[in-house]
Amino acid sequence: MSTWNFRDFFMPVSGSGDFSPAPLGGAQTGVGRTATLAAGFLLTFGIALIFRILELPFWDFGGFFLRGEHLLATHDAYHWVAGAEGFEFGVGHPLAELLRHCANLAGLPPAEEAFYLPLYLGALAGTTVFLWAWGMGRPCAGLVAGTLTSLAPSFLGRTLLGYFDTDLVVLPFAVLLGVVPGIWLYRRTFPPAALLRRAVKAGGREIPAGLPGGPPADAATAAESALTLPWLGLLILSGLFGWQTQEWHSLFPYLTRFSALLFPLLIVVCGLRGTRRALLRGALCHVLPLLWGLPGMVAAMLHALLVVPEERQNEPKTVAWIRSLLRRRWVILLLWLVIVLPALLNSEVGRALYDSFLSYAHRSGDVTSTGAAVGDVLVFPSVNRSIIETQLVEFPELLLHVYPARWLGLLALILFVRRLWTTPVMWWFAPLAALYLLSMKMGGRMSMFGAPPLLLALSLDVSEALERLARLASRKTSGAVQRLVFDPQSRFALLRRLAAFVVSAMLALFFCRPLADLIPLVTQGPILTQSQAQALSYLKEHSPVDSLVWNWWDWGYATHHFAQRRTIADGARHGGPSLFLPAAVYTTADPRFARQIIKYTALKGNDLGEVFHDLDAKGAQDLMRRLGDKNEPLIEAKGTQYLVVSFDLLRLGVWVSQYGSWNFETRASSGSYMNNLDTALAYNLDTGLIQADGGKTLKVGSIAVFDAQGLTVRQYPGRQGGFHFIFNPPRLDEEENFRRHFMADPLSSWWDDLEQVHPAVESNDKIAMDDVFYNTLMVQLLLCDKDDPRFSPYFKLVFDNTYARVFEVR
C-alpha cells in the first residue's frame, strides 16, 4: 500500500526523468525544503519592499494631499476606490472587494489604503517567480529572479505608490497559474531537445529502459508518486484558482484555456514513457475546475478518490470496475475530449480575444455599430493614439523594459527561447513572452509580462552555470572537501544553504541598485491636481444625487470617487460616442452648441449609444449641424448636468481638439494648434510681447497668467490671427519644498528636473495656441469672467478655485 502525506509536495519525485544536475548540497528533507521556501519567500518580498519604500519621500508634499488623504497616481485606482465605497460599476469586483477588506483591517479610508497597497502587492509579485524556481530546485535563482521581477522597469512603473490597479494582480496571477502543474510535471518530463537527440541516436530503434525517451526503470513508482492525494488536492485548488482569476481580468479566459490545452500536450509529447496515462488522469484534477469552476471541482474531487493508486480491502465491485475503467486509454482520451474541447471551441472567447487585440492595435478609427445600414458604418476617432500605455515600443527600447541594460535583456530573451527546448514546463510562460513581444504592436503596457519568463530563464541558467563551475573546481580537491561541499547529510548542509541565500541576497541587492535609480524618474505624483480634486469634491456636497457630470474621460473615475456622481465617460467608456461627444463640447467655440449636445444626450436618457442610433455617417454629421443651428429651439431635458473645466485639461488639449473636430463624412479631424513649450520665455503684460531666450520678439493676441494671486488675463486688440499664451510659473514654496525632499534622497541625482519628476504639480507651463484652440470652450470657460454674457445664458459658474471650475448647464 502506498503512503502519502503533505510533505510529498515539498519533495518532488526524482525519477529517471531527473537528468538535470542536483542543486548544490543535494536533495533536502521535507523540513529543509519548507524552511527554504519560507526563507526565500520572505527574502524576495523583503528586498523588493525595501527598494519600493524609497519612493515614499517623493510624496511628502502638501500638494499631493486633499483633506489629509493622498491623491492617487493612476486614473484607474479611483475606479476601484469608488467600487470599494459602493459606488458605480466597480462594486463587487474582486479588486474592489480586496481594497475594501484591506481598508477595514487597516482602519484607513479606501483611497488612502489604495495609496499604500501597491507597496506590498508589487513586492509580492516577485514571490510567484521564486515559487517556480524553488519548485525546480533552484531557490537561490528564484530569489534573484523574483526580486528583479518585482522591480523590473515595465512593472515598477505601473505599480508604484498610488498605482492601485489590475496590473498588481494580473502579472502574479498569470505566473501562479502554472506553478502547481508545472512543478508537478517538472521531474516527470523530458525536454524536446533530449527526446530529439535520443531519437536521432536510436535511429528508429527501441530505446532501452532508463534512458531519455525510453521507459523509466521505475515507471510504476514515478506514476504512483504523481497520484498522491496531496498532489491531486493541490492540482484541484490550483485549477479552482485559475477559474477564479477570470473574474479579476479579461486576460484570464485566454490564459486558462491555454493552460488547459498545454497541460495534456506536454504530458503526451514530453512525459516519461510508462507514466503518461497516469499523468493524464491526474491532470484532469486540475483541468476540471480550471474550465468548469465549482462543478468541475466537485467532479475533480471524486475523480481524485478514484485514481489514487491505493489498495482497498472490501471495496465495492462497482467502484473497482470504475477504477479499472479510468485506467483505459480510450476512456482517458474521451474524458479529455469531452472536458477540454467544448471550452476551447468557445467562439465568444475567440472573438473577444480578437477584439481585444484590435482595441490595442487599431489606431485609425473605431467602427461602431449603430444599427445603420450595412456598407455605411459610423466611424469614430480612435482613442488609442492618445493613451500612453498603448504607444508602440521599438525592440531596442523593449529590452530596457526588463532591466536597464540592453545586453542583459537580449541575453535573457535568448536564454528563455533556449529554455523552451530544455525545460518543457517553461512553456507556461510562452503567452507572457508573446505579450511582451507584442508590445511592438499593442503598446508598452504589455511589456511588463516579459520580466518573469526572461529573468527566470536568466537566473536559472546562471545558477546552473555556477553549479557546474563549482563541481569542476571540486574535482581537484580531496574527497573530504567534496563531501563537505556536496554531501546533503553533512553537518554543514544547513550552513551551506544559509551561505547560498546570503550570497543570492547580495547579488539581488547589487542588481537592484540600478533599478532603485529609476525611482526618481518614474515616480510622478498624483494623476490629477489638488485643485481639480477640490472641484469634484464640491459636487459631492452641492449637487443632486442623480445629476450627471460632463468631464473628460481621464477623470471620470476620479469623479466617481470625489463627487460620487455619474459621469458621461470614464476609463472604461472612452470609445465611440463617449469619446466624441465630450470632445465636441470642449472643442466648440459655440457655447449654445455645447449646451444642445448635453441636453440632447440627456433627452436620450444619457445613453450615448442612443444619440447615434440608426445613424450612418451622413446622418451623424447632419445631427451635429442641426444641434449647432441657432434657428432650432433650445432642447429641454430632465435632470441636472455639470460641466468641469480645468487647467489639467489644457495639457491634453491637442487630442481633445482632434477628437472634437472629427467629421463623420470625411473621417478626418481639422484640429488646432497647441504646444506646451519647454524653452525659456519672457513676457510683458503691458505690451503683449513674448521673447524667447536668444530669439526674436513676438506680438501675441493675449496672455493669461496663473499664479498664487489668481488669474490675470490681458487681451491685445488688433492682433487677430496671432498666437495666444498661457503661463503657469512655478511657485516659490513648491520649488523649495521639492528641492528639500529631493536633495534628501541619497539615490537621486535629478534635482533640477522638477517637471519630469512631478508633472502633476501646477507649475512651469508655457502653452502657446492659435485662435481656434484659444476660442474653444475648454479654454474660454476657464479664463472668462463669472458673468460673461457669452456663456451665462447656457452655463452657470458654481465653483471656482482658479485652476478648476464647475458649471451647471442651464
Side-chain angles (χ1 to χ4, degrees):
M1 178 181 292
S2 62
T3 59
W4 60 269
N5 54 60
F6 194 75
R7 191 178 64 175
D8 291 342
F9 176 65
F10 298 95
M11 298 182 66
V13 64
S14 181
S16 61
D18 188 14
F19 62 93
S20 58
L24 190 64
Q28 300 176 28
T29 64
V31 174
R33 286 185 61 82
T34 306
T36 300
L37 172 64
F41 188 95
L42 292 175
L43 276 172
T44 304
F45 173 76
I47 294 174
L49 182 64
I50 288 171
F51 278 95
R52 284 175 170 271
I53 288 175
L54 294 176
E55 190 199 0
L56 271 172
F58 298 107
W59 283 83
D60 187 14
F61 173 60
F64 293 169
F65 293 82
L66 182 65
R67 295 191 294 271
E69 191 176 284
H70 280 94
L71 300 174
L72 301 180
T74 180
H75 297 298
D76 288 355
Y78 287 112
H79 172 60
W80 309 118
V81 171
E85 294 169 335
F87 186 78
E88 264 292 348
F89 59 95
V91 175
H93 189 280
L95 197 61
E97 288 298 291
L98 172 66
L99 176 60
R100 183 173 66 85
H101 290 303
C102 289
N104 289 337
L105 286 173
L108 294 173
E112 190 69 359
E113 183 66 15
F115 174 78
Y116 287 106
L117 263 184
L119 194 69
Y120 305 100
L121 294 181
L124 269 176
T127 61
T128 62
V129 178
F130 166 77
L131 285 176
W132 269 95
W134 170 82
M136 295 178 179
R138 301 280 172 185
C140 293
L143 170 59
V144 177
T147 305
L148 293 180
T149 293
S150 67
L151 297 173
S154 54
F155 184 65
L156 178 68
R158 298 191 56 79
T159 57
L160 290 167
L161 288 166
Y163 273 84
F164 186 77
D165 196 11
T166 52
D167 294 329
L168 289 163
V169 294
V170 168
L171 184 69
F173 281 8
V175 176
L176 279 174
L177 198 60
V179 165
V180 173
I183 296 176
W184 187 65
L185 279 185
Y186 176 59
R187 299 183 186 276
R188 298 181 175 93
T189 54
F190 282 119
L195 293 173
L196 181 63
R197 199 162 49 243
R198 286 296 175 183
V200 172
K201 289 183 178 180
R205 299 187 302 275
E206 183 69 20
I207 302 174
L211 293 179
D218 57 347
T221 302
E224 186 174 324
S225 68
L227 298 179
T228 59
L229 280 180
W231 268 120
L232 297 180
L234 286 169
L235 287 170
I236 292 171
L237 292 176
S238 174
L240 188 63
F241 163 77
W243 167 263
Q244 291 293 329
T245 59
Q246 297 178 84
E247 297 185 12
W248 290 77
H249 197 271
S250 59
L251 179 66
F252 288 105
Y254 322 129
L255 291 182
T256 52
R257 281 159 176 79
F258 173 84
S259 182
L261 181 62
L262 177 66
F263 205 180
L265 190 62
L266 285 181
I267 293 172
V268 171
V269 175
C270 303
L272 302 178
R273 290 186 61 186
T275 67
R276 293 170 186 162
R277 199 179 301 183
L279 293 178
L280 285 172
R281 284 188 289 143
L284 280 171
C285 291
H286 177 75
V287 174
L288 278 166
L290 181 66
L291 295 180
W292 300 104
L294 290 177
M297 183 191 72
V298 175
M301 292 171 67
L302 294 174
H303 177 75
L305 294 175
L306 291 171
V307 300
V308 172
E310 292 189 0
E311 298 177 5
R312 290 179 174 84
Q313 297 180 355
N314 303 322
E315 185 175 65
K317 291 183 178 180
T318 304
V319 176
W321 178 78
I322 294 175
R323 282 180 180 276
S324 63
L325 189 65
L326 289 175
R327 293 189 179 95
R328 297 181 182 273
R329 185 176 303 171
W330 67 269
V331 173
I332 297 172
L333 177 62
L334 181 63
L335 285 173
W336 275 101
L337 291 177
V338 170
I339 291 167
V340 176
L341 280 185
L344 293 179
L345 298 178
N346 190 322
S347 59
E348 293 183 5
V349 175
R351 180 64 187 178
L353 176 62
Y354 177 73
D355 292 341
S356 180
F357 173 78
L358 287 184
S359 69
Y360 277 91
H362 195 52
R363 283 166 168 74
S364 59
D366 292 332
V367 179
T368 302
S369 174
T370 62
V374 178
D376 192 9
V377 296
L378 193 58
V379 179
F380 290 89
S382 173
V383 71
N384 276 346
R385 294 178 297 164
S386 65
I387 300 178
I388 294 176
E389 65 187 30
T390 64
Q391 302 307 303
L392 303 185
V393 182
E394 298 295 331
F395 183 71
E397 181 187 352
L398 187 62
L399 297 175
L400 295 174
H401 286 211
V402 174
Y403 191 81
R406 284 192 180 91
W407 68 270
L408 196 65
L410 181 60
L411 176 62
L413 180 60
I414 294 171
L415 293 178
F416 171 74
V417 174
R418 189 189 73 86
R419 274 277 166 184
L420 295 177
W421 285 96
T422 61
T423 311
V425 296
M426 288 293 285
W427 278 93
W428 257 283
F429 289 98
L432 305 189
L435 287 171
Y436 167 70
L437 295 175
L438 281 173
S439 295
M440 295 183 284
K441 288 292 183 183
M442 298 177 66
R445 180 179 186 178
M446 299 299 169
S447 64
M448 71 174 182
F449 291 104
L454 271 61
L455 292 172
L456 178 60
L458 176 65
S459 298
L460 288 174
D461 274 44
V462 170
S463 174
E464 291 178 4
L466 293 175
E467 185 82 40
R468 292 189 181 96
L469 288 175
R471 290 184 182 278
L472 286 174
S474 69
R475 291 179 182 177
K476 300 180 181 180
T477 62
S478 64
V481 173
Q482 292 187 35
R483 286 192 298 273
L484 179 67
V485 176
F486 293 102
D487 184 6
Q489 305 303 324
S490 168
R491 71 182 67 179
F492 298 104
L494 178 59
L495 290 178
R496 285 198 305 266
R497 287 195 288 273
L498 289 175
F501 265 118
V502 171
V503 172
S504 300
M506 292 176 65
L507 282 173
L509 290 170
F510 175 79
F511 283 106
C512 286
R513 180 61 176 79
L515 296 169
D517 288 342
L518 293 176
I519 291 177
L521 292 177
V522 295
T523 184
Q524 69 165 26
I527 198 65
L528 83 164
T529 54
Q530 189 184 72
S531 59
Q532 187 168 184
Q534 291 171 349
L536 299 177
S537 297
Y538 169 85
L539 285 170
K540 184 176 181 180
E541 303 296 334
H542 300 87
S543 67
V545 175
D546 61 348
S547 58
L548 184 77
V549 180
W550 282 67
N551 204 350
W552 189 239
W553 70 266
D554 286 61
W555 299 290
Y557 288 153
T559 306
H560 294 165
H561 165 59
F562 288 108
Q564 296 278 295
R565 299 293 182 266
R566 293 183 303 120
T567 58
I568 198 64
D570 53 50
R573 298 171 290 199
H574 54 248
S578 57
L579 177 70
F580 169 76
L581 288 173
V585 167
Y586 283 119
T587 299
T588 183
D590 182 0
R592 188 182 191 275
F593 174 53
R595 187 259 183 207
Q596 291 288 80
I597 291 178
I598 294 173
K599 290 298 182 180
Y600 183 78
T601 304
L603 202 62
K604 296 293 183 177
N606 291 313
D607 185 345
L608 299 185
E610 287 296 316
V611 172
F612 295 96
H613 183 66
D614 283 340
L615 297 181
D616 56 13
K618 184 179 183 304
Q621 200 62 39
D622 287 342
L623 173 62
M624 292 299 104
R625 294 190 191 100
R626 188 166 68 253
L627 292 177
D629 187 350
K630 290 182 170 52
N631 295 318
E632 293 285 333
L634 289 175
I635 297 172
E636 298 298 331
K638 295 181 180 179
T640 306
Q641 301 84 34
Y642 294 91
L643 180 66
V644 180
V645 294
S646 65
F647 193 93
D648 302 347
L649 183 61
L650 300 186
R651 298 185 177 116
L652 304 176
V654 169
W655 295 111
V656 179
S657 176
Q658 288 191 26
Y659 299 144
S661 60
W662 180 262
N663 187 295
F664 293 102
E665 293 179 296
T666 63
R667 297 183 181 177
S669 301
S670 56
S672 56
Y673 174 81
M674 189 282 283
N675 192 7
N676 203 338
L677 305 174
D678 58 2
T679 58
L681 295 176
Y683 60 88
N684 189 310
L685 285 174
D686 295 328
T687 62
L689 298 179
I690 303 289
Q691 185 176 33
D693 188 14
K696 65 179 182 179
T697 301
L698 177 68
K699 293 182 178 181
V700 298
S702 71
I703 296 177
V705 180
F706 289 80
D707 55 30
Q709 285 70 43
L711 170 66
T712 302
V713 180
R714 294 288 182 88
Q715 304 283 346
Y716 308 99
R719 297 180 183 177
Q720 289 80 8
F723 285 98
H724 304 265
F725 277 79
I726 296 179
F727 292 96
N728 186 20
R731 306 175 203 168
L732 292 179
D733 58 334
E734 289 181 349
E735 187 169 355
E736 290 174 1
N737 202 321
F738 271 138
R739 292 182 180 277
R740 178 167 59 86
H741 290 296
F742 280 130
M743 292 291 282
D745 177 29
L747 294 176
S748 179
S749 58
W750 291 272
W751 325 128
D752 298 323
D753 199 3
L754 303 182
E755 285 183 281
Q756 181 179 0
V757 176
H758 288 297
V761 172
E762 303 145 327
S763 64
N764 216 22
D765 291 277
K766 300 176 284 289
I767 303 176
M769 61 192 72
D770 61 8
D771 275 339
V772 176
F773 189 92
Y774 182 72
N775 288 307
T776 60
L777 228 63
M778 60 181 156
V779 175
Q780 289 302 308
L781 283 180
L782 191 63
L783 303 182
C784 71
D785 293 332
K786 178 181 178 181
D787 299 315
D788 192 313
R790 295 176 297 166
F791 308 108
S792 56
Y794 314 110
F795 299 98
K796 176 186 176 182
L797 181 64
V798 295
F799 178 85
D800 180 13
N801 65 6
T802 304
Y803 288 95
R805 286 179 166 184
V806 179
F807 291 86
E808 182 180 346
V809 183
R810 288 178 162 170

